[in-house]
Amino acid sequence: MPSFPLKVPGEPMPFVADGVMHFDGRTRTVTPVQRFAPCTLEAWVWPEEYRDTGTQAVIGSDIPTKYGIGLGITGVVPFVEIVPGILKGTQPVPLRKWSHLAGVFSEEGTRLYLDGKLVTKGPATRAEGGTKFVIGNIGLGNPIDYFKGKVRAVRINQGERYADAFIPVEQLLPDATTVLLYTAESVRGDVVNDFSGKGHHGRVERGFASPP
């Protein structure tokens, strides 16, 4: 059975099917949230493929030559991007299986988690704004490093949500520090409604990258 919904010739790949969002390596969701820190970024992801020489950003805010605050997979391993630099784990993110990725960007440092386990840590990011967070791509003005696979949910919170190892919850829900929460149930056409209650609705953009 294919892991993506069947594509009708001449029709775009369905963005939502089987209760999850499908990113085809050319699609992203643009949020209205200006990047900020300290924050926590997290998502449930199902990668469709590895890209030996490329990065697949699940959440990004990269400005070319200036880096950003983001989370995803580079090669086969998880990564977080900070201003300026990239921190990588060493354990591969499994293909065609649900995994939980989380990046905690605190005032003391940055931590990367895979399925609730700390995989690497490093210095704090600079808290620079100037661009919006996007889902499924490295940055609003940087049309590269698109994610290919399924996303069940994406959540952005103010501050440091995780300080130690944790057990990821299957269903991400909003709380007082949540500034954005997207799921497949959020999507209405090209509009992605924000379930955080903050009104940070996004929009789906298709076809920006070259075909993979």
Side-chain angles (χ1 to χ4, degrees):
M1 295 290 292
S3 57
F4 272 81
L6 294 177
K7 181 179 183 299
V8 178
E11 295 291 329
M13 180 79 70
F15 183 60
V16 172
D18 304 321
V20 296
M21 294 174 282
H22 294 257
F23 288 81
D24 60 4
R26 303 183 64 194
T27 300
R28 67 185 183 182
T29 298
V30 176
T31 86
V33 177
Q34 290 282 323
R35 71 180 183 190
F36 67 95
C39 68
T40 300
L41 311 180
E42 61 184 311
W44 278 102
V45 301
W46 174 299
E48 180 68 17
E49 63 182 30
Y50 295 134
R51 297 183 180 178
D52 293 340
T53 60
T55 292
Q56 299 185 70
V58 178
I59 305 173
S61 65
D62 182 279
I63 297 174
T65 76
K66 295 183 179 181
Y67 292 93
I69 297 170
L71 173 71
I73 302 167
T74 183
V76 303
V77 298
F79 83 96
V80 283
E81 184 178 12
I82 61 175
V83 183
I86 292 178
L87 306 174
K88 302 178 184 179
T90 58
Q91 179 180 347
V93 180
L95 287 183
R96 304 178 188 95
K97 177 182 177 182
W98 287 111
S99 295
H100 182 272
L101 297 178
V104 175
F105 305 81
S106 75
E107 294 178 347
E108 290 75 31
T110 303
R111 296 187 299 280
L112 171 63
Y113 295 89
L114 173 60
D115 291 329
K117 297 178 181 179
L118 178 67
V119 296
T120 193
K121 58 184 178 180
T125 186
R126 293 201 298 269
E128 295 183 356
T131 189
K132 300 172 183 177
F133 282 115
V134 296
I135 314 302
N137 156 245
I138 197 69
L140 180 63
N142 202 351
I144 60 172
D145 297 341
Y146 280 70
F147 178 70
K148 188 171 183 179
K150 306 174 188 177
V151 175
R152 195 160 73 207
V154 173
R155 184 168 63 184
I156 299 176
N157 278 65
Q158 294 177 334
E160 181 180 5
R161 187 176 185 88
Y162 307 114
D164 302 300
F166 62 96
I167 299 175
V169 296
E170 291 292 323
Q171 183 179 5
L172 299 182
L173 298 172
D175 63 19
T177 67
T178 305
V179 299
L180 181 148
L181 175 60
Y182 291 167
T183 71
E185 290 76 17
S186 306
V187 181
R188 298 291 184 272
D190 285 343
V191 175
V192 185
N193 293 307
D194 173 25
F195 283 171
S196 77
K198 304 297 193 304
H200 293 142
H201 312 307
R203 70 179 187 277
V204 179
E205 294 184 343
R206 297 180 173 88
F208 277 73
S210 298

